[in-house]
Amino acid sequence: MAEGMKLHFEVNGDDFTRAGETSSKVKKTLSQLGFNPEVIRKVAIAMYEGEINMVIHAEGGDIDVEILPERITVVMKDVGPGIPDLDMAMQEGFSTADHSVRELGFGAGMGLPNMKKYSDSMDIDTKIGVGTTVTLGFVAQG
């Protein structure tokens, strides 16, 4: 891959049956491009967590992925309610998901902590009543 590749996906809110499709497609693409399996695993886990957050907490959103030989960047942008207390949201186990979401097996409060754990860089821009943009960076070598 001499030059970069850009991918764009739309995530539907409240669609738990299709949640995870985007991260699966990116995982397959990275595999076909010959990226290191450990890098692919980290990207897939972090993207899946973000995708689930978009389904649970927002009305869905957009995911843009830029794949370069040395770096993968994932930008997840939603038009949800925003994150009122980012410090609390970053704590493992903290969740604002309602009971019905938890009954489906989601909303355990590991989304943002896992996104941070599995990415090499994470930036969160959130505004109450406007939405949240999470930018994840992954070093492709290693």
Side-chain angles (χ1 to χ4, degrees):
M1 180 180 58
E3 47 191 84
M5 173 186 289
K6 292 187 179 189
L7 306 171
H8 176 80
F9 304 94
E10 291 181 15
V11 176
N12 296 321
D14 287 326
D15 189 352
F16 287 96
T17 57
R18 295 186 59 207
E21 283 184 3
T22 297
S23 53
S24 292
K25 288 177 185 174
V26 171
K27 181 179 179 180
K28 183 176 180 181
T29 300
L30 293 175
S31 182
Q32 290 171 337
L33 292 170
F35 279 88
N36 178 312
E38 181 59 20
V39 172
I40 295 169
R41 186 179 79 82
K42 288 166 55 176
V43 171
I45 291 169
M47 274 192 71
Y48 176 80
E49 295 286 7
E51 196 174 346
I52 292 298
N53 278 355
M54 293 171 96
V55 171
I56 293 172
H57 301 291
E59 305 285 315
D62 293 305
I63 300 178
D64 289 294
V65 181
E66 182 179 29
I67 303 169
L68 298 170
E70 68 283 353
R71 187 165 187 77
I72 301 157
T73 304
V74 178
V75 179
M76 302 182 207
K77 183 179 176 99
D78 70 47
V79 288
I83 303 170
D85 188 336
L86 193 52
D87 288 336
M88 284 295 291
M90 290 303 297
Q91 292 183 24
E92 291 186 8
F94 176 81
S95 178
T96 57
D98 65 31
H99 183 69
S100 63
V101 170
R102 290 173 190 257
E103 281 187 334
L104 293 172
F106 300 102
M110 293 303 294
L112 289 174
N114 276 341
M115 291 166 72
K116 183 172 180 63
K117 176 181 177 181
Y118 289 102
S119 62
D120 293 307
S121 66
M122 181 168 104
D123 179 66
I124 302 173
D125 180 21
T126 186
K127 292 180 179 58
I128 302 303
V130 177
T132 301
T133 300
V134 178
T135 304
L136 303 172
F138 303 87
V139 176
Q141 312 302 323

